[in-house]
Amino acid sequence: SAQQDAVFELVSMGFNVALWYTKYASRLAGKEDITEDEAKDVHRSLKIAAGIFKHLKESHIPKLITPVEKGRDLEARLIDSYIVQCQAEAQEVTIARAIELKHNPGLIAALAYETANFYQKADQTLSSLDPTYAGKWRKYLNLKSCFYMAYAYCYHGQTLLASDKCGEAIRSLQESEKFFAKAEALCKEYGETKGPGTTAKPSGHLFFRKLGNLVKNTLEKCQRENGFM
């Protein structure tokens, strides 16, 4: 897009700076062993990015001489989706740290469930857009939502198992398996979907691979405990 408008210049620069913060956070969060300081840096970067997106949407985009084109970067639906995705990605780091520090499974399940809902909300924000613009992005948001639902059910199952509710724990882990299988299938679909931007490879990430083994091992443990009873 090209416009003879100083506000458009300001908004374009602000948008690019916000995107830089999301990419910087993504690069840090993608490391295998993220330190506490790096986790804080990821949080800070995503908070700044969300703040810039919000400020542009509320203070500058409404002042543009030419209205924003539908489905383009500065449209309200896309900006809203970026803001929610920043929230979701900030929480992903909190979950990773909580797992690493062996926090209460109930807390991890609650965080994972909330994160899955953030991704779902970001996807719904884009649902009325032309798939040409948002199809690939929506696939990514969908797979992340399924992935964190699998985490939520897996850790909820561990909480139930600790309370000797083996039957309910098995049911929860079976749901986790379903969501993980769905996330794996969506990873494949996402990789094959054409669209702007580089294609991430979430299925190859250690955090993704760990979950598959965790679900399998926890379900087997629940079934063993249930067999003893």
Side-chain angles (χ1 to χ4, degrees):
S1 296
Q3 293 183 31
Q4 285 184 309
D5 181 357
V7 177
F8 182 73
E9 291 295 322
L10 174 69
V11 170
S12 298
M13 284 190 288
F15 184 85
N16 282 334
V17 171
L19 270 190
W20 181 87
Y21 273 109
T22 66
K23 299 298 177 190
Y24 174 68
S26 179
R27 193 189 74 184
L28 274 184
K31 290 170 69 176
E32 297 294 346
D33 297 307
I34 187 167
T35 66
E36 190 176 346
D37 285 341
E38 285 170 334
K40 284 176 183 173
D41 208 5
V42 171
H43 261 270
R44 189 182 61 84
S45 298
L46 289 166
K47 196 175 174 183
I48 291 169
I52 295 171
F53 285 131
K54 190 169 184 285
H55 178 66
L56 293 176
K57 184 195 166 196
E58 291 173 358
S59 304
H60 297 298
I61 293 172
K63 293 175 188 169
L64 289 171
I65 296 167
T66 308
V68 175
E69 294 173 66
K70 282 188 178 177
R72 299 295 176 170
D73 283 341
L74 305 179
E75 215 223 311
R77 288 172 290 184
L78 275 92
I79 296 284
D80 282 339
S81 198
Y82 274 121
I83 293 166
V84 178
Q85 190 172 336
C86 284
Q87 287 177 289
E89 288 180 358
Q91 202 144 285
E92 282 191 70
V93 182
T94 308
I95 293 168
R97 290 290 295 165
I99 291 168
E100 193 184 331
L101 299 170
K102 296 182 168 54
H103 283 181
N104 183 298
L107 171 70
I108 296 169
L111 283 169
Y113 182 69
E114 193 180 21
T115 306
N117 284 333
F118 274 141
Y119 277 115
Q120 199 172 18
K121 186 182 170 187
D123 174 50
Q124 283 164 354
T125 307
L126 300 173
S127 61
S128 55
L129 280 172
D130 183 338
T132 313
Y133 298 126
K136 188 174 182 179
W137 189 0
R138 289 193 64 198
K139 278 269 191 287
Y140 178 77
L141 295 170
N142 242 309
L143 79 86
K144 290 304 275 280
S145 178
C146 288
F147 177 67
Y148 280 100
M149 281 301 279
Y151 254 111
Y153 274 110
C154 181
Y155 277 91
H156 180 57
Q158 289 186 23
T159 308
L160 290 167
L161 185 63
S163 307
D164 290 330
K165 295 177 179 174
C166 290
E168 289 175 48
I170 289 169
R171 181 80 188 88
S172 191
L173 264 298
Q174 285 168 342
E175 281 299 306
S176 182
E177 267 192 328
K178 278 185 205 169
F179 275 108
F180 185 72
K182 196 175 172 187
E184 277 191 312
L186 282 164
C187 277
K188 192 167 181 288
E189 284 177 37
Y190 166 72
E192 292 166 358
T193 305
K194 286 186 168 60
T198 52
T199 302
K201 293 186 174 66
S203 57
H205 199 284
L206 182 67
F207 199 54
F208 195 96
R209 298 199 307 272
K210 270 184 182 174
L211 176 60
N213 291 330
L214 183 67
V215 173
K216 183 172 171 283
N217 295 340
T218 312
L219 180 57
E220 285 172 3
K221 187 181 176 185
C222 291
Q223 286 166 336
R224 276 199 308 275
E225 295 276 337
N226 201 41
F228 289 142
M229 285 184 179

